[in-house]
């Protein structure tokens, strides 16, 4: 029945019954179910050919009803990005990805800040707040705490097929996550690369703000840098990066 509305446009129950060869009562039962699911809506339209009397009750497909039919959005996006890549190279694709995610970042950032503001003086898990914001955007996200930090998991990716060819989308999204949780993050798995979920590791304790790198080196990094400086200051043997050829 949805197919008839898509092919022939808005119709009355009587018109649908005539096309299907069944009773109007049976058609109305199906239409009631489609209206209840949000896939079809009923509108009263006055038909000039009907003359006086009650307006005709026509049934229309909603946006939700149309979305149930196949679309070629992925093909269109791939064609567009392939053209962008051919004209401007990888940096142009990256710019498109960042622009596409700008709206998502603004909405998610507002949601995270609202969650923080709602609990003044308390430590708010920004990853949990971000997971809720991403879920509202259709990513089906969850966050969990680990001994070394936490993980943000996205169980759905709206652009997985496109990101499989253009990893710049995943890279831009990872940068957005880092800014929103306020710390450096590491992408461990992605749906676009064949994994079951997109998993992002969030190391250490989360800090408020939009910093994407640690404010100062952790203890292990400081020790490694001090050791490297000491070695360079005491070494007197010149180095040569080119491979020596035996005499």
């Amino acid at each position: 029945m949805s197919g008839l509305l898509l092919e022939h446009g808005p119709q009355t129950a009587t018109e649908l019954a005539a096309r299907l060869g069944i009773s109007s009562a049976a058609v109305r039962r199906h239409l009631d179910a489609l209206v209840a699911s949000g896939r079809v809506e009923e509108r009263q339209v006055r038909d000039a050919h009907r003359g006086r009397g009650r307006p005709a009750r026509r049934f229309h497909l909603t946006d939700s009803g149309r979305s149930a039919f196949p679309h070629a959005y992925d093909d269109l996006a791939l064609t567009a990005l392939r053209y962008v890549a051919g004209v401007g190279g990888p940096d142009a694709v990256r710019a498109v990805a960042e622009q596409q995610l700008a709206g998502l970042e603004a909405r998610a950032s507002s949601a995270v800040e609202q969650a923080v503001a709602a609990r003044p003086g308390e430590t708010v898990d920004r990853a949990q707040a971000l997971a809720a914001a991403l879920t509202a955007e259709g990513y089906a996200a969850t966050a969990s705490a680990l001994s070394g930090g936490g993980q943000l998991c996205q169980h759905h990716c709206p652009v997985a097929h496109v990101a499989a060819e253009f990893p710049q989308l995943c890279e831009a999204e990872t940068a957005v996550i880092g800014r929103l949780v306020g710390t450096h993050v590491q992408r461990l798995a992605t749906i676009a690369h064949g994994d079951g979920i997109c998993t992002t590791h969030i190391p250490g304790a989360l800090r408020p703000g939009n910093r994407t790198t640690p404010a100062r080196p952790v203890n292990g990094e400081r020790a490694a840098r001090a050791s490297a400086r000491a070695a360079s200051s005491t070494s007197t043997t010149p180095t040569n990066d080119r491979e020596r050829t035996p005499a």
Side-chain angles (χ1 to χ4, degrees), residues 36-78:
S37 68
R39 297 173 63 181
V40 169
E41 63 182 2
E42 183 180 358
R43 301 177 189 170
Q44 290 188 343
V45 181
R46 189 169 295 280
D47 191 339
H49 299 288
R50 290 170 59 94
R52 295 184 178 181
R54 292 186 302 174
R57 299 168 61 192
R58 293 186 177 278
F59 294 87
H60 299 241
L61 277 179
T62 64
D63 289 341
S64 175
R66 290 182 181 277
S67 68
F69 292 91
H71 294 284
Y73 295 149
D74 283 354
D75 292 341
L76 177 61
L78 281 171

Side-chain angles (χ1 to χ4, degrees), residues 1 4 15-23 27 30:
M1 195 168 299
L4 288 176
E15 291 170 340
L16 287 168
R19 291 184 184 280
L20 293 170
I22 59 177
S23 68
V27 167
H30 287 291

Side-chain angles (χ1 to χ4, degrees), residues 53-139:
R54 292 186 302 174
R57 299 168 61 192
R58 293 186 177 278
F59 294 87
H60 299 241
L61 277 179
T62 64
D63 289 341
S64 175
R66 290 182 181 277
S67 68
F69 292 91
H71 294 284
Y73 295 149
D74 283 354
D75 292 341
L76 177 61
L78 281 171
T79 299
L81 284 179
R82 285 167 184 163
Y83 177 80
V84 170
V87 172
D91 288 342
V93 175
R94 186 171 295 103
V96 171
E98 292 171 352
Q99 179 63 34
Q100 191 270 334
L101 288 168
L104 170 67
E105 181 174 5
R107 293 188 299 272
S109 178
S110 178
V112 172
E113 295 308 323
Q114 288 176 9
V116 173
R119 298 169 61 182
E122 300 182 36
T123 301
V124 178
D125 189 333
R126 296 176 71 90
Q128 292 285 355
L130 176 57
L134 290 176
T135 295
E137 296 283 343
Y139 286 81

